[in-house]
Amino acid sequence: MSERANLLDFTLPALTEWLAAHGEKAFRARQLFQWIHQRGVADFDAMTDLAKSLREKLKGIAEVRPPAVLSEHRSADGTVKWLFDVGAGRGSKSNAIETVFIPEDDRGTLCVSSQVGCALDCKFCSTGRQGFNRDLGAGEIIGQLWVANRRLEEMEREGFSSRLEPDEPRVSSLASRSPRPVSNVVMMGMGEPLNNFQPVVDAMSMMLDDLAYGLSRRRVTLSTSGVVPNIRKLAEALPVALAVSLHAPNDEIRSRIMPVNDAYPIEELLQACREYLEVSPRDFITFEYVMLEGVNDAPEQAHELARLLESVPSKVNLIPFNAFPDSGFARTDMARVRRFQQILLDAGYIATVRKTRGDDIDAACGQLAGQVVNRMKKKYVRIQSQPGH
C-alpha cells in the first residue's frame, strides 16, 4: 500500500488538483483546507460538513501529519521553544529543528525553520556551526505553525498566556487576545530560506491564504543572508517583508564572518534590495546587525554603516550577540551598543536594539541549533542566475 499523502504539503491549488484526481469537486478542497489550517483539525471524522463518503476515502489515502514534538520548553519571559523531529523515515532519527514563539503585548511572533541545519557557516551562528543535512518540505514548514497554534491554544486553556501585557502578570485572557495565538511569522529559524525556495514560498502562501491563516504580507517576514538571485525570484513569486542579515559595514568584515559575501558582495546585495522595494509590502528593508565585540561595533563602523545604507530606505535592528560554546566572539557592552545606535539615529535611521528573549532556554537569536547530522560543509558558491533573474 502506498504511503498516505500528507495534506499539510498541499497549497490550496495543489489540494484542489489532488482531490480532482480522486474525483472530488473544487469546493471540497476549500472545505478541507479550512478544516486543516483555519481550525487546526486533523481528524477527518470531525470535519462534519464533508460528505461521509469523502471522509472515509480520505482515511485511506491521506493524513494530516505535522512534525512530531520531541520537547517543549517555556521561558520565564513567556517564550516557548519546540524541538521537532524531522529525521524519522529519512535514514536518521537524529535530525531535529527548533521553532520559537515570542509573545509581545500586541502580537505573537513565531520564528520558523526552513532547513535542517544551514550550509552558510556564518561564524557567529550556532546553527551554522552544526552544518547542513537537508531542506524541509512545505508541510514540515507550515507544520510548525500548525502545531504552534494548537499548542498555544491548549496552553491558554491551562492558564499560560500567549500575550504579555505591559507590567502585568502573565494570566490567561482569552477574551482580549487575537483569534489565533500566532499573528506574525518570521522565517528566521534554522536554515537559509532562499536556499529552499519553492517549499518556503509554498508554506508562506499558505500563511497568507484567507482560507488558512490569513496573515498579511506585512506580518510574514523572510530573513536572508543575501542570496541575491533568489531575492529577485521572491520579488516575482511572493513579496513579503524582507530582512537582510548584514552584520558588517564593508565587504572585508562581512566576508570574514559571512562566507556568502564572497559570492554576493554588499553592493550587489543592496542593489537587489532597492529592486525588491518596488514590490515589497513595506517601504523599507530591515537590516539585521549582530553586535560582535571588537569586530563590527566601533563608532566609526556605525558611521560607515550609515553611509552605506544611504541609498536604501532602511530600518537597522541591532542584535546583542548570544554566546554559544567555542564561538570565538563576545557580546558588545550595552553602553557601546547604545552609542552605535545613537549614531544611526542621528543619521536619520530607525535603529532598534533587539530585546533578548528566551535565552534561559537557548531560544534567543543565533542560539537555535537543534540536532543535525551534517552532510555538507563547504564554502558557499554563487548561484547561476536563470534567464530573467
Side-chain angles (χ1 to χ4, degrees):
M1 181 176 177
S2 60
E3 183 179 359
R4 288 181 294 174
N6 182 8
L7 299 185
L8 289 175
D9 284 327
F10 295 142
T11 62
L12 181 55
L15 183 61
T16 303
E17 183 178 342
W18 182 82
L19 280 175
H22 290 278
E24 300 293 336
K25 295 182 179 179
F27 79 95
R28 292 300 187 193
R30 294 192 294 272
Q31 290 177 313
L32 182 56
F33 200 67
Q34 286 180 286
W35 276 109
I36 294 168
H37 295 289
Q38 275 190 353
R39 302 177 187 178
V41 173
D43 180 2
F44 296 127
D45 284 330
M47 301 178 183
T48 52
D49 62 352
L50 296 184
K52 186 175 181 180
S53 59
L54 174 56
R55 282 181 269 162
E56 292 302 317
K57 181 191 292 186
L58 288 171
K59 290 177 189 178
I61 61 175
E63 62 183 327
V64 178
R65 188 177 65 250
V69 176
L70 293 174
S71 64
E72 176 182 280
H73 299 281
R74 306 182 194 182
S75 169
D77 64 18
T79 300
V80 184
K81 181 176 77 170
W82 293 277
L83 185 69
F84 287 105
D85 180 9
V86 290
R90 295 181 181 271
S92 171
K93 294 185 179 180
S94 299
N95 284 325
I97 56 168
E98 293 184 337
T99 306
V100 176
F101 175 74
I102 306 164
E104 303 286 350
D105 58 337
D106 61 345
R107 64 188 180 275
T109 300
L110 191 70
C111 183
V112 172
S113 293
S114 57
Q115 296 179 312
V116 185
C118 185
L120 298 192
D121 195 24
C122 296
K123 305 305 180 184
F124 50 82
C125 180
S126 61
T127 303
R129 178 67 62 88
Q130 286 192 299
F132 173 78
N133 184 271
R134 68 175 179 87
D135 294 330
L136 295 178
E140 293 170 313
I141 298 169
I142 200 66
Q144 296 168 64
L145 175 56
W146 190 89
V147 170
N149 271 326
R150 281 171 55 107
R151 278 297 299 135
L152 290 166
E153 287 169 351
E154 291 169 359
M155 290 159 64
E156 286 274 12
R157 292 192 289 271
E158 297 165 5
F160 181 91
S161 180
S162 67
R163 292 289 183 277
L164 295 183
E165 299 298 329
D167 303 319
E168 294 289 337
R170 288 192 301 276
V171 295
S172 181
S173 180
L174 292 175
S176 63
R177 70 178 174 85
S178 64
R180 302 296 290 269
V182 177
S183 64
N184 295 60
V185 172
V186 291
M187 301 298 304
M188 294 183 183
M190 297 173 64
E192 164 55 63
L194 291 185
N195 277 353
N196 184 21
F197 189 83
Q198 196 57 52
V200 165
V201 167
D202 286 346
M204 292 194 305
S205 74
M206 287 186 258
M207 296 172 193
L208 301 176
D209 198 307
D210 287 339
L211 296 180
Y213 303 91
L215 301 178
S216 76
R217 291 176 189 249
R218 294 169 59 88
R219 289 183 175 270
V220 176
T221 300
L222 183 142
S223 177
T224 178
S225 61
V227 185
V228 167
N230 289 351
I231 292 175
R232 294 190 169 111
K233 283 180 65 177
L234 183 66
E236 295 182 4
L238 194 71
V240 294
L242 187 67
V244 173
S245 295
L246 188 60
H247 306 310
N250 58 57
D251 284 321
E252 188 277 322
I253 295 174
R254 194 166 191 265
S255 289
R256 182 153 36 102
I257 62 176
M258 298 182 70
V260 68
N261 195 71
D262 290 335
Y264 306 113
I266 289 175
E267 185 45 46
E268 285 189 39
L269 174 57
L270 295 185
Q271 178 57 32
C273 289
R274 287 188 285 267
E275 295 169 13
Y276 193 87
L277 282 170
E278 297 176 6
V279 295
S280 172
R282 294 187 178 274
D283 58 3
F284 60 86
I285 302 293
T286 298
F287 288 98
E288 309 282 357
Y289 196 100
V290 65
M291 300 295 289
L292 303 171
E293 184 181 61
V295 176
N296 64 356
D297 63 347
E300 55 269 26
Q301 289 165 334
H303 288 292
E304 187 177 7
L305 180 62
R307 292 191 297 271
L308 179 71
L309 298 179
E310 283 178 346
S311 66
V312 184
S314 306
K315 173 185 175 182
V316 181
N317 193 5
L318 303 176
I319 305 170
F321 174 65
N322 293 301
F324 56 91
D326 303 318
S327 69
F329 297 103
R331 178 183 290 199
T332 298
D333 177 82
M334 189 52 65
R336 193 170 174 88
V337 173
R338 295 296 182 191
R339 184 179 178 189
F340 197 101
Q341 178 192 27
Q342 192 60 52
I343 292 170
L344 295 174
L345 292 172
D346 291 344
Y349 291 95
I350 299 171
T352 59
V353 178
R354 179 178 293 173
K355 182 180 179 182
T356 297
R357 299 289 301 274
D359 53 355
D360 58 330
I361 57 171
D362 291 337
C365 182
Q367 289 183 323
L368 301 191
Q371 299 168 8
V372 179
V373 177
N374 187 16
R375 295 178 54 199
M376 182 178 73
K377 192 90 169 185
K378 64 184 181 182
K379 188 175 180 180
Y380 195 78
V381 296
R382 250 180 115 87
I383 296 174
Q384 293 298 318
S385 296
Q386 299 300 314
H389 296 297

